[in-house]
């Protein structure tokens, strides 16, 4: 099967953000990139989004529930955004085929990644190339917006994603 899909999500680097919290903003940055893609704009800033999803009890910006609830709020009533634990990669492919990028949580080494992701990291799955066995991602850990579009070998991606038990942010209309 030569399935290939690659959604044109604009690259956003959390590292390029002029904010001292940038190292901690992978979830808001990834979610902002998806919101901007789905809404057809680039108006929402990751900093603005991060300020609306801070979990002050734990001093984090990666609270999955807060990020997806705020995404639903920003996108509007016709959108449903939620956290899911997916059991197969085909569930991601199904979303991509509908035109919906998927934010996923990964942990640990990932060949070609910007950092080791020892404590977890969120990035956007934008596509898949079955022929070359590659997952297309917008990974906000790279140092500049134009460096965030990367391809990870599917087996490496699946291993890193499984370390987070298949966590994904799902966006549906």
């Amino acid at each position: 099967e030569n399935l290939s899909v690659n959604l044109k999500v604009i690259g956003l680097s959390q590292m390029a953000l002029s904010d001292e919290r940038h190292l901690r903003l992978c979830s808001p940055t990834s979610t902002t990139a998806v919101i901007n893609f789905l809404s057809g704009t680039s108006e929402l800033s990751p900093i603005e989004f991060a300020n609306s999803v801070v979990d002050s009890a734990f001093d984090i910006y990666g609270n999955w529930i807060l990020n997806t609830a705020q995404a639903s709020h920003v996108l509007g009533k016709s959108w449903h955004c939620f956290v899911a634990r997916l059991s197969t990669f085909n569930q991601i492919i199904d979303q991509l085929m509908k035109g919906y990028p998927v934010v996923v949580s990964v942990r640990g080494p990932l060949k070609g990644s910007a950092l080791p992701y020892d404590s977890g990291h969120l990035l956007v799955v934008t596509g898949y190339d079955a022929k070359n066995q590659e997952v297309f991602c917008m990974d906000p850990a790279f140092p500049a917006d134009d460096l965030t579009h990367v391809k990870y070998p599917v087996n490496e991606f699946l291993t890193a994603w499984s370390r987070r038990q298949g966590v994904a942010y799902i966006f549906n209309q």
Side-chain angles (χ1 to χ4, degrees):
E1 181 182 0
N2 283 336
L3 172 70
S4 184
V5 58
N6 193 9
L7 304 176
K8 301 300 177 200
V9 174
I10 293 171
L12 276 179
S13 166
Q14 71 190 83
M15 302 307 182
L17 299 173
S18 54
D19 190 293
E20 76 248 354
R21 305 167 297 176
H22 69 273
L23 292 172
R24 303 167 59 207
L25 300 182
C26 58
S27 179
T29 304
S30 293
T31 307
T32 296
V34 173
I35 291 168
N36 284 341
F37 172 80
L38 294 174
S39 64
T41 71
S42 55
E43 290 173 18
L44 184 62
S45 99
I47 302 297
E48 180 185 340
F49 190 81
N51 290 337
S52 66
V53 298
V54 61
D55 182 338
S56 46
F58 295 97
D59 190 32
I60 60 170
Y61 298 88
N63 179 309
W64 304 332
I65 304 298
L66 290 180
N67 276 263
T68 53
Q70 185 64 15
S72 287
H73 173 71
V74 172
L75 286 167
K77 290 190 192 319
S78 67
W79 286 94
H80 305 283
C81 310
F82 55 92
V83 180
R85 285 199 188 272
L86 304 182
S87 53
T88 71
F89 184 62
N90 283 337
Q91 292 171 286
I92 290 179
I93 293 172
D94 290 345
Q95 289 297 113
L96 295 171
M97 296 308 287
K98 292 178 198 169
Y100 305 140
V102 179
V103 175
V104 298
S105 181
V106 296
R107 187 165 51 85
L110 188 55
K111 186 178 181 175
S113 64
L115 299 165
Y117 307 147
D118 294 331
S119 55
H121 177 62
L122 284 104
L123 52 79
V124 184
V125 177
T126 60
Y128 176 61
D129 179 348
K131 184 176 177 220
N132 295 310
Q133 292 289 292
E134 292 174 324
V135 180
F136 300 122
C137 298
M138 193 296 294
D139 186 339
F142 284 84
D145 292 351
D146 61 355
L147 300 175
T148 59
H149 291 103
V150 292
K151 295 182 247 186
Y152 292 124
V154 71
N155 57 335
E156 294 264 338
F157 171 84
L158 292 174
T159 300
W161 184 45
S162 71
R163 290 187 193 108
R164 300 297 280 169
Q165 288 80 44
V167 167
Y169 297 0
I170 302 298
F171 302 80
N172 277 324
Q173 243 182 337

